[in-house]
């Protein structure tokens, strides 16, 4: 059973507009969430994270929102830039554990 | 910035061969991880280590083995490669187990 789900395999956004990537989870024991970005032939790079005691975390153009009651988090990128084109993975850490559980990823394409 | 290295980057090898994928980090992180990823799929944890002489199997069953004799080095070995082992293998390290820093990965093809 997949505990972290990214239901959109791909997303296409125009340059300068907002990109919104979504992630749902089923395990209520997750207490820390992360977003990673991955270019082809490279390893994932850490983008931004959020603890379950918060509902929002912002870092420059990137903002992560957490809705615990809906077991849903989202990553907002604004404004979107061509260099943002990549695969974005949502990941979660169960309470007391130090292991990441990943979603399947969403391929974001920013169009000029 | 994280410094974590994996070699080789690409490997094509025949069935039955023994292979070792190398992973090294220069940050002194105690925690290290191996993930396996197939195209379009999530990363699956196959091995992890919380320090020297400590290794554990991950959530996805794997025929590979790992060792952790030095803090900076976490190699993964397949004794007899099979086509089902074809995948991308990603190594990561971490201080606290939250933000993990990934290497560039090894893309393995077994023919």
């Amino acid at each position: 059973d997949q505990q972290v789900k990214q239901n959109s395999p791909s997303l296409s956004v125009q340059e300068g507009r907002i990109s919104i990537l979504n992630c749902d989870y089923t395990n209520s024991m997750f207490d820390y969430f992360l977003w990673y970005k991955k270019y082809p032939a490279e390893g994932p790079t850490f983008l931004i994270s959020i603890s379950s005691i918060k509902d929002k975390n912002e870092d420059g153009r990137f903002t992560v929102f957490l809705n615990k009651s809906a077991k849903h988090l989202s990553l907002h990128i604004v404004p979107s830039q061509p260099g943002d084109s990549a695969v974005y993975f949502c990941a979660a850490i169960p309470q007391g554990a130090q292991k990441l559980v990943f979603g399947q990823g969403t391929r974001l394409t920013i169009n000029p | 910035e994280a410094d974590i290295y994996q070699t080789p980057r690409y490997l094509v090898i025949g069935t039955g061969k023994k292979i070792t994928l190398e992973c090294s980090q220069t940050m002194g992180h105690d925690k290290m991880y191996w993930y396996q990823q197939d195209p379009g799929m999530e990363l699956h944890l196959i091995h992890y280590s919380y320090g020297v002489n400590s290794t554990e199997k991950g959530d996805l069953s794997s025929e590979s083995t790992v060792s952790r004799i030095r803090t900076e080095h976490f190699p993964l070995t397949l004794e007899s490669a099979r086509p089902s082992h074809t995948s991308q293998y990603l190594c990561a390290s971490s201080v606290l187990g939250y933000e993990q820093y990934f290497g560039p990965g090894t893309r393995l093809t077994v023919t």
Side-chain angles (χ1 to χ4, degrees):
Chain A
D1 65 332
Q2 193 160 5
Q3 299 182 66
V4 178
K5 298 180 183 178
Q6 294 176 254
N7 292 317
S8 298
S10 62
L11 176 68
S12 186
V13 174
Q14 193 170 359
E15 181 179 358
R17 306 295 289 267
I18 184 171
S19 295
I20 300 176
L21 297 107
N22 294 302
C23 178
D24 296 297
Y25 61 95
T26 58
N27 188 342
S28 58
M29 295 302 291
F30 289 145
D31 69 351
Y32 199 81
F33 303 88
L34 308 92
W35 283 95
Y36 281 82
K37 173 181 179 180
K38 186 178 186 298
Y39 293 119
E42 294 184 14
T45 54
F46 169 73
L47 265 181
I48 192 169
S49 61
I50 187 167
S51 165
S52 61
I53 63 173
K54 295 185 174 182
D55 55 16
K56 176 183 175 181
N57 189 25
E58 191 172 355
D59 183 2
R61 296 186 298 115
F62 302 92
T63 302
V64 57
F65 295 92
L66 175 62
N67 182 334
K68 282 176 289 184
S69 61
K71 294 190 176 68
H72 177 83
L73 69 157
S74 61
L75 174 68
H76 292 208
I77 306 173
V78 55
S80 300
Q81 299 174 355
D84 296 330
S85 294
V87 177
Y88 289 78
F89 289 95
C90 169
I93 300 180
Q95 189 178 20
Q98 296 172 4
K99 298 182 286 180
L100 294 174
V101 179
F102 282 87
Q104 317 96 300
T106 297
R107 181 176 301 279
L108 174 65
T109 303
I110 305 301
N111 302 307
Chain B
E1 177 156 331
D3 292 317
I4 180 164
Y5 308 98
Q6 291 185 245
T7 57
R9 293 291 311 275
Y10 302 91
L11 179 61
V12 180
I13 200 162
T15 298
K17 300 290 187 184
K18 177 180 179 178
I19 59 170
T20 296
L21 307 184
E22 300 288 350
C23 176
S24 294
Q25 50 98 2
T26 59
M27 298 163 286
H29 290 172
D30 284 330
K31 298 172 178 55
M32 296 189 74
Y33 310 82
W34 276 103
Y35 293 87
Q36 184 175 341
Q37 188 201 12
D38 294 322
M41 303 295 289
E42 62 268 44
L43 282 71
H44 289 287
L45 181 68
I46 52 174
H47 298 283
Y48 62 99
S49 167
Y50 288 166
V52 171
N53 295 324
S54 154
T55 61
E56 301 287 345
K57 290 191 176 295
D59 302 322
L60 180 69
S61 176
S62 174
E63 294 167 345
S64 59
T65 59
V66 293
S67 62
R68 189 89 183 275
I69 299 172
R70 302 196 316 265
T71 297
E72 63 271 21
H73 194 214
F74 191 40
L76 181 146
T77 298
L78 275 166
E79 290 293 333
S80 180
R82 294 208 299 266
S84 61
H85 297 141
T86 295
S87 190
Q88 184 177 37
Y89 292 85
L90 292 156
C91 180
S93 73
S94 176
V95 175
L96 297 176
Y98 291 98
E99 288 87 13
Q100 294 182 14
Y101 298 93
F102 283 82
T106 294
R107 183 164 296 282
L108 173 65
T109 302
V110 184
T111 61

Coordinates of all heavy atoms in Angstrom, one line a residue, chain A residues 9-79:
Chain A
P9 N 0.8 12.7 -12.4 CA 2.2 12.3 -12.9 C 2.9 13.5 -13.5 O 4.1 13.5 -13.6 CB 1.9 11.3 -13.9 CG 0.5 10.9 -13.7 CD -0.2 12.0 -13.0
S10 N 2.1 14.5 -14.1 CA 2.8 15.6 -14.7 C 1.9 16.8 -14.6 O 0.7 16.8 -14.4 CB 3.0 15.3 -16.2 OG 1.7 15.0 -16.9
L11 N 2.6 18.0 -14.8 CA 2.0 19.3 -14.7 C 2.7 20.3 -15.6 O 3.9 20.3 -15.6 CB 2.0 19.8 -13.2 CG 1.5 21.2 -12.9 CD1 0.0 21.2 -13.1 CD2 1.8 21.6 -11.5
S12 N 1.9 21.0 -16.3 CA 2.5 22.0 -17.2 C 2.1 23.4 -16.9 O 0.8 23.6 -16.7 CB 2.2 21.7 -18.7 OG 2.8 22.5 -19.6
V13 N 3.0 24.3 -16.7 CA 2.7 25.7 -16.2 C 3.4 26.7 -17.0 O 4.6 26.5 -17.4 CB 3.0 25.8 -14.7 CG1 2.8 27.3 -14.2 CG2 2.2 24.9 -13.8
Q14 N 2.8 27.8 -17.3 CA 3.5 28.9 -18.0 C 4.4 29.6 -17.1 O 4.2 29.9 -15.9 CB 2.4 29.8 -18.6 CG 2.9 30.8 -19.6 CD 1.8 31.6 -20.3 OE1 0.7 31.4 -20.0 NE2 2.2 32.4 -21.2
E15 N 5.6 30.0 -17.7 CA 6.6 30.8 -17.0 C 5.9 32.0 -16.4 O 5.1 32.7 -17.0 CB 7.7 31.2 -17.9 CG 8.8 32.0 -17.3 CD 9.9 32.3 -18.3 OE1 9.8 31.9 -19.5 OE2 10.9 33.0 -17.9
G16 N 6.3 32.3 -15.1 CA 5.8 33.4 -14.4 C 4.5 33.2 -13.6 O 4.2 34.0 -12.7
R17 N 3.8 32.1 -13.9 CA 2.6 31.7 -13.2 C 2.9 30.9 -11.9 O 4.1 30.5 -11.7 CB 1.6 31.0 -14.1 CG 1.3 31.7 -15.4 CD 0.6 33.0 -15.1 NE -0.8 32.8 -14.7 CZ -1.9 32.7 -15.5 NH1 -1.7 32.8 -16.8 NH2 -3.1 32.6 -15.0
I18 N 1.9 30.5 -11.2 CA 2.1 29.7 -10.0 C 2.0 28.3 -10.3 O 1.2 27.8 -11.1 CB 1.1 30.1 -8.9 CG1 1.4 29.3 -7.6 CG2 -0.3 29.9 -9.4 CD1 0.6 29.8 -6.4
S19 N 3.0 27.5 -9.8 CA 2.9 26.0 -9.9 C 2.5 25.5 -8.5 O 3.0 25.9 -7.5 CB 4.3 25.4 -10.2 OG 4.7 25.8 -11.5
I20 N 1.5 24.6 -8.6 CA 1.0 23.9 -7.3 C 1.1 22.4 -7.5 O 0.4 21.8 -8.4 CB -0.5 24.3 -7.0 CG1 -0.6 25.9 -6.9 CG2 -0.9 23.6 -5.7 CD1 -2.0 26.4 -6.7
L21 N 1.9 21.8 -6.7 CA 2.1 20.4 -6.7 C 1.5 19.8 -5.4 O 1.7 20.3 -4.3 CB 3.6 20.0 -6.8 CG 4.3 20.5 -8.0 CD1 5.2 21.6 -7.8 CD2 5.0 19.3 -8.7
N22 N 0.7 18.7 -5.6 CA 0.0 18.2 -4.5 C 0.5 16.8 -4.0 O 1.0 16.0 -4.8 CB -1.5 18.1 -4.9 CG -2.1 19.4 -5.1 OD1 -2.1 20.2 -4.1 ND2 -2.7 19.7 -6.2
C23 N 0.2 16.5 -2.8 CA 0.6 15.2 -2.2 C -0.4 14.8 -1.1 O -0.8 15.7 -0.3 CB 2.0 15.4 -1.6 SG 2.7 14.0 -0.8
D24 N -0.8 13.6 -1.1 CA -1.7 13.1 0.0 C -1.0 11.9 0.7 O -0.2 11.2 0.1 CB -3.0 12.6 -0.7 CG -3.8 13.7 -1.3 OD1 -4.2 14.6 -0.6 OD2 -3.9 13.6 -2.6
Y25 N -1.3 11.8 2.0 CA -0.7 10.7 2.7 C -1.8 10.0 3.5 O -2.9 10.6 3.8 CB 0.4 11.2 3.6 CG 0.1 12.2 4.6 CD1 -0.2 11.8 6.0 CD2 0.0 13.6 4.3 CE1 -0.6 12.8 6.9 CE2 -0.3 14.5 5.3 CZ -0.6 14.1 6.6 OH -0.9 15.0 7.5
T26 N -1.5 8.8 3.9 CA -2.5 8.0 4.6 C -2.1 7.7 6.1 O -3.0 7.4 6.9 CB -2.8 6.6 3.9 OG1 -1.5 5.9 3.8 CG2 -3.3 6.9 2.5
N27 N -0.8 7.8 6.4 CA -0.4 7.4 7.7 C -0.4 8.6 8.6 O 0.4 9.5 8.5 CB 1.1 6.8 7.6 CG 1.6 6.2 8.9 OD1 1.1 6.5 9.9 ND2 2.6 5.4 8.7
S28 N -1.2 8.5 9.6 CA -1.3 9.7 10.6 C -0.1 9.8 11.5 O 0.0 10.7 12.3 CB -2.6 9.5 11.4 OG -2.6 8.3 12.1
M29 N 0.8 8.8 11.4 CA 2.0 8.9 12.3 C 3.1 9.7 11.6 O 4.2 9.9 12.2 CB 2.5 7.4 12.5 CG 1.6 6.6 13.4 SD 1.2 7.4 15.0 CE 2.8 7.2 15.8
F30 N 2.9 10.1 10.4 CA 3.9 11.0 9.7 C 3.9 12.3 10.5 O 2.9 12.9 10.7 CB 3.6 11.2 8.3 CG 3.8 10.0 7.4 CD1 2.9 9.8 6.3 CD2 4.8 9.2 7.6 CE1 3.1 8.7 5.5 CE2 5.0 8.1 6.7 CZ 4.2 7.9 5.7
D31 N 5.1 12.8 10.8 CA 5.2 14.1 11.5 C 6.2 15.0 10.9 O 6.4 16.1 11.5 CB 5.5 13.9 13.0 CG 6.9 13.4 13.3 OD1 7.6 13.0 12.3 OD2 7.3 13.3 14.5
Y32 N 6.7 14.7 9.8 CA 7.7 15.6 9.1 C 7.6 15.3 7.6 O 7.6 14.2 7.2 CB 9.1 15.4 9.6 CG 10.0 16.5 9.4 CD1 10.0 17.6 10.2 CD2 10.9 16.5 8.3 CE1 10.9 18.7 10.0 CE2 11.8 17.5 8.1 CZ 11.8 18.6 9.0 OH 12.7 19.7 8.8
F33 N 7.5 16.4 6.8 CA 7.3 16.3 5.4 C 8.4 17.1 4.6 O 8.8 18.2 5.1 CB 5.9 16.7 5.0 CG 4.8 16.0 5.8 CD1 4.4 16.4 7.0 CD2 4.3 14.8 5.3 CE1 3.4 15.8 7.7 CE2 3.3 14.2 6.0 CZ 2.9 14.6 7.2
L34 N 8.8 16.5 3.5 CA 9.8 17.2 2.7 C 9.4 17.2 1.2 O 8.7 16.3 0.8 CB 11.1 16.5 2.9 CG 11.6 16.2 4.3 CD1 11.2 14.9 4.8 CD2 13.2 16.3 4.3
W35 N 10.0 18.1 0.5 CA 9.9 18.1 -1.0 C 11.3 18.1 -1.5 O 12.2 18.8 -1.1 CB 9.2 19.4 -1.5 CG 7.7 19.3 -1.3 CD1 6.9 19.8 -0.3 CD2 6.7 18.7 -2.2 NE1 5.6 19.6 -0.5 CE2 5.4 18.9 -1.7 CE3 6.8 18.1 -3.4 CZ2 4.3 18.5 -2.3 CZ3 5.7 17.6 -4.1 CH2 4.4 17.8 -3.5
Y36 N 11.5 17.2 -2.5 CA 12.7 17.1 -3.2 C 12.5 17.4 -4.7 O 11.4 17.1 -5.2 CB 13.3 15.7 -3.1 CG 14.0 15.4 -1.8 CD1 13.3 15.1 -0.6 CD2 15.4 15.5 -1.7 CE1 13.9 14.8 0.6 CE2 16.0 15.3 -0.5 CZ 15.3 14.9 0.6 OH 15.9 14.7 1.8
K37 N 13.5 17.8 -5.4 CA 13.5 18.1 -6.8 C 14.6 17.3 -7.4 O 15.7 17.1 -6.9 CB 13.8 19.6 -7.0 CG 14.0 20.1 -8.4 CD 14.3 21.6 -8.3 CE 14.6 22.2 -9.6 NZ 14.9 23.7 -9.5
K38 N 14.2 16.7 -8.6 CA 15.2 15.8 -9.3 C 15.2 16.1 -10.7 O 14.2 16.0 -11.5 CB 14.8 14.3 -9.0 CG 15.8 13.3 -9.6 CD 15.3 11.9 -9.3 CE 16.4 10.9 -9.6 NZ 16.7 10.9 -11.1
Y39 N 16.5 16.4 -11.2 CA 16.7 16.5 -12.6 C 17.1 15.1 -13.2 O 17.6 14.3 -12.4 CB 17.8 17.5 -12.9 CG 17.5 18.9 -12.6 CD1 18.2 19.6 -11.6 CD2 16.5 19.6 -13.2 CE1 18.0 21.0 -11.3 CE2 16.2 20.9 -12.9 CZ 16.9 21.6 -12.0 OH 16.6 22.9 -11.7
P40 N 16.9 14.9 -14.5 CA 17.4 13.6 -15.1 C 18.8 13.3 -14.8 O 19.7 14.3 -14.8 CB 17.1 13.8 -16.6 CG 16.1 14.9 -16.6 CD 16.3 15.8 -15.5
A41 N 19.2 12.1 -14.5 CA 20.6 11.6 -14.3 C 21.2 12.3 -13.1 O 22.5 12.3 -13.0 CB 21.4 11.9 -15.6
E42 N 20.4 12.9 -12.2 CA 21.0 13.4 -11.0 C 20.2 12.9 -9.8 O 19.1 12.4 -9.9 CB 20.9 14.9 -11.0 CG 21.8 15.6 -12.0 CD 21.8 17.1 -11.9 OE1 21.3 17.6 -10.8 OE2 22.2 17.8 -12.8
G43 N 20.8 13.0 -8.6 CA 20.1 12.6 -7.4 C 19.1 13.7 -7.0 O 19.3 14.8 -7.4
P44 N 18.1 13.4 -6.2 CA 17.2 14.4 -5.7 C 17.9 15.4 -4.8 O 18.9 15.1 -4.1 CB 16.2 13.6 -4.8 CG 16.3 12.2 -5.3 CD 17.8 12.0 -5.7
T45 N 17.5 16.7 -4.9 CA 18.0 17.7 -4.0 C 16.9 18.2 -3.1 O 15.7 18.4 -3.6 CB 18.6 18.9 -4.8 OG1 17.6 19.3 -5.7 CG2 19.8 18.4 -5.6
F46 N 17.2 18.4 -1.9 CA 16.2 18.9 -0.9 C 15.8 20.3 -1.2 O 16.6 21.2 -1.5 CB 16.9 18.8 0.5 CG 16.0 19.5 1.6 CD1 14.9 19.0 2.0 CD2 16.4 20.7 2.1 CE1 14.1 19.6 3.0 CE2 15.7 21.4 3.0 CZ 14.5 20.8 3.5
L47 N 14.5 20.5 -1.1 CA 13.9 21.9 -1.4 C 13.4 22.6 -0.1 O 13.9 23.7 0.2 CB 12.7 21.7 -2.3 CG 12.9 21.9 -3.8 CD1 11.6 21.7 -4.5 CD2 13.5 23.3 -4.2
I48 N 12.5 22.0 0.5 CA 11.8 22.6 1.6 C 11.1 21.5 2.5 O 10.8 20.4 2.0 CB 10.8 23.7 1.2 CG1 10.3 24.5 2.3 CG2 9.6 23.0 0.4 CD1 9.5 25.8 1.8
S49 N 11.0 21.8 3.8 CA 10.3 20.8 4.6 C 9.3 21.5 5.6 O 9.3 22.8 5.7 CB 11.4 20.1 5.5 OG 12.1 21.0 6.3
I50 N 8.5 20.7 6.2 CA 7.6 21.3 7.2 C 7.3 20.2 8.3 O 7.2 19.0 8.0 CB 6.3 21.7 6.5 CG1 5.4 22.4 7.5 CG2 5.5 20.5 5.9 CD1 4.2 23.2 6.8
S51 N 7.3 20.7 9.5 CA 6.9 19.8 10.6 C 5.4 19.8 10.8 O 4.7 20.8 10.4 CB 7.6 20.4 11.9 OG 7.0 19.8 13.1
S52 N 4.9 18.7 11.4 CA 3.5 18.6 11.5 C 2.9 19.6 12.5 O 1.7 19.7 12.6 CB 3.1 17.2 12.0 OG 3.7 16.9 13.2
I53 N 3.7 20.3 13.3 CA 3.2 21.3 14.2 C 2.9 22.6 13.5 O 2.4 23.6 14.1 CB 4.1 21.5 15.4 CG1 5.5 22.1 15.0 CG2 4.3 20.2 16.2 CD1 6.4 22.5 16.1
K54 N 3.3 22.7 12.2 CA 3.1 23.9 11.5 C 2.1 23.7 10.3 O 1.9 22.5 10.0 CB 4.4 24.4 10.9 CG 5.4 24.9 11.9 CD 6.6 25.5 11.2 CE 7.6 26.1 12.2 NZ 8.8 26.7 11.5
D55 N 1.6 24.7 9.8 CA 0.7 24.5 8.6 C 1.3 25.2 7.3 O 0.7 25.1 6.2 CB -0.7 25.0 8.8 CG -0.8 26.4 9.3 OD1 0.2 27.2 9.2 OD2 -1.8 26.8 9.9
K56 N 2.4 26.0 7.5 CA 3.0 26.7 6.4 C 4.5 26.9 6.6 O 4.9 27.2 7.8 CB 2.3 28.0 6.2 CG 2.8 28.9 5.1 CD 2.1 30.2 5.0 CE 2.7 31.2 4.0 NZ 2.0 32.5 4.0
N57 N 5.3 26.7 5.6 CA 6.7 27.1 5.6 C 7.1 27.7 4.3 O 6.7 27.2 3.3 CB 7.5 25.9 6.0 CG 9.0 26.3 6.3 OD1 9.2 27.4 6.7 ND2 9.9 25.3 6.0
E58 N 7.8 28.8 4.4 CA 8.1 29.5 3.2 C 9.6 29.7 3.0 O 10.3 30.0 4.0 CB 7.4 30.9 3.2 CG 7.4 31.7 2.0 CD 6.5 32.9 2.1 OE1 5.9 33.1 3.1 OE2 6.5 33.7 1.2
D59 N 10.1 29.6 1.8 CA 11.5 29.8 1.6 C 11.7 30.4 0.1 O 11.6 29.6 -0.8 CB 12.3 28.5 1.7 CG 13.8 28.7 1.5 OD1 14.3 29.9 1.3 OD2 14.6 27.7 1.6
G60 N 11.8 31.7 0.1 CA 11.9 32.3 -1.2 C 10.6 32.1 -2.1 O 9.5 32.4 -1.7
R61 N 10.8 31.5 -3.3 CA 9.7 31.3 -4.2 C 8.9 30.0 -3.8 O 7.9 29.8 -4.4 CB 10.2 31.1 -5.6 CG 10.9 32.4 -6.2 CD 11.3 32.2 -7.7 NE 12.2 31.1 -7.9 CZ 11.9 30.0 -8.5 NH1 10.7 29.8 -9.1 NH2 12.8 29.1 -8.7
F62 N 9.4 29.3 -2.8 CA 8.8 28.0 -2.5 C 8.0 28.1 -1.2 O 8.6 28.6 -0.2 CB 9.8 26.9 -2.4 CG 10.6 26.7 -3.7 CD1 11.8 27.4 -3.9 CD2 10.2 25.9 -4.6 CE1 12.5 27.3 -5.0 CE2 10.9 25.7 -5.8 CZ 12.1 26.4 -6.0
T63 N 6.8 27.6 -1.2 CA 6.0 27.6 0.1 C 5.3 26.2 0.1 O 4.7 25.7 -0.8 CB 4.9 28.7 0.1 OG1 5.5 30.0 -0.1 CG2 4.1 28.6 1.4
V64 N 5.4 25.6 1.3 CA 4.7 24.3 1.5 C 3.6 24.5 2.5 O 3.8 25.2 3.5 CB 5.7 23.2 2.0 CG1 6.5 23.6 3.3 CG2 5.0 21.9 2.2
F65 N 2.4 24.0 2.2 CA 1.3 24.1 3.1 C 0.9 22.6 3.5 O 0.9 21.7 2.7 CB 0.1 24.6 2.3 CG 0.3 26.1 1.9 CD1 0.8 26.4 0.6 CD2 -0.1 27.1 2.7 CE1 1.0 27.7 0.2 CE2 0.1 28.4 2.3 CZ 0.6 28.7 1.1
L66 N 0.6 22.5 4.8 CA 0.2 21.2 5.3 C -1.2 21.3 5.9 O -1.5 22.2 6.8 CB 1.2 20.8 6.4 CG 0.8 19.5 7.2 CD1 0.8 18.3 6.2 CD2 1.8 19.3 8.3
N67 N -2.1 20.4 5.5 CA -3.5 20.3 6.1 C -3.6 19.0 6.7 O -3.8 18.0 6.0 CB -4.5 20.5 4.9 CG -5.9 20.5 5.4 OD1 -6.2 19.9 6.5 ND2 -6.8 21.1 4.7
K68 N -3.4 18.9 8.0 CA -3.3 17.6 8.7 C -4.7 16.9 8.7 O -4.7 15.7 8.6 CB -2.8 17.8 10.1 CG -1.3 18.0 10.2 CD -0.9 18.2 11.6 CE -1.3 19.6 12.0 NZ -0.8 20.0 13.4
S69 N -5.7 17.7 8.8 CA -7.1 17.0 8.9 C -7.4 16.3 7.6 O -8.0 15.3 7.5 CB -8.1 18.0 9.2 OG -8.2 19.1 8.2
A70 N -6.9 16.9 6.5 CA -7.1 16.3 5.1 C -6.0 15.4 4.7 O -6.1 14.7 3.7 CB -7.3 17.4 4.1
K71 N -4.9 15.3 5.5 CA -3.7 14.5 5.2 C -3.2 14.9 3.8 O -3.0 14.1 2.9 CB -4.0 13.0 5.3 CG -4.3 12.5 6.7 CD -4.3 11.0 6.8 CE -4.4 10.5 8.2 NZ -5.8 10.8 8.7
H72 N -3.0 16.2 3.7 CA -2.7 16.8 2.4 C -1.6 17.8 2.5 O -1.7 18.7 3.4 CB -3.9 17.3 1.7 CG -3.7 18.0 0.4 ND1 -3.6 17.3 -0.8 CD2 -3.4 19.3 0.0 CE1 -3.3 18.1 -1.8 NE2 -3.2 19.3 -1.3
L73 N -0.6 17.8 1.6 CA 0.3 18.9 1.6 C 0.5 19.4 0.1 O 0.3 18.6 -0.8 CB 1.6 18.6 2.3 CG 2.6 17.6 1.7 CD1 4.0 18.0 2.2 CD2 2.2 16.2 2.2
S74 N 0.9 20.6 0.0 CA 1.1 21.1 -1.4 C 2.4 22.0 -1.4 O 2.7 22.6 -0.3 CB -0.1 21.9 -1.8 OG -0.4 23.0 -1.0
L75 N 3.0 22.1 -2.5 CA 4.1 22.9 -2.8 C 3.7 24.0 -3.8 O 3.3 23.6 -4.9 CB 5.3 22.1 -3.3 CG 6.5 22.9 -3.7 CD1 7.2 23.5 -2.5 CD2 7.5 22.0 -4.4
H76 N 3.9 25.2 -3.4 CA 3.6 26.3 -4.3 C 4.9 27.0 -4.8 O 5.8 27.3 -3.9 CB 2.8 27.4 -3.6 CG 1.4 26.9 -3.3 ND1 0.3 27.8 -3.3 CD2 0.9 25.7 -3.1 CE1 -0.8 27.1 -3.0 NE2 -0.5 25.9 -2.9
I77 N 5.1 27.2 -6.1 CA 6.3 27.8 -6.6 C 5.8 29.0 -7.4 O 5.0 28.9 -8.3 CB 7.0 26.9 -7.6 CG1 7.3 25.6 -6.9 CG2 8.3 27.6 -8.1 CD1 7.9 24.5 -7.9
V78 N 6.2 30.2 -6.9 CA 5.8 31.4 -7.6 C 6.8 32.5 -7.5 O 7.4 32.8 -6.4 CB 4.4 31.9 -7.0 CG1 4.5 32.2 -5.5 CG2 3.9 33.2 -7.7
P79 N 7.2 33.1 -8.6 CA 6.8 32.8 -10.0 C 7.6 31.6 -10.5 O 8.7 31.4 -10.1 CB 7.1 34.0 -10.8 CG 8.3 34.6 -10.1 CD 8.1 34.3 -8.6

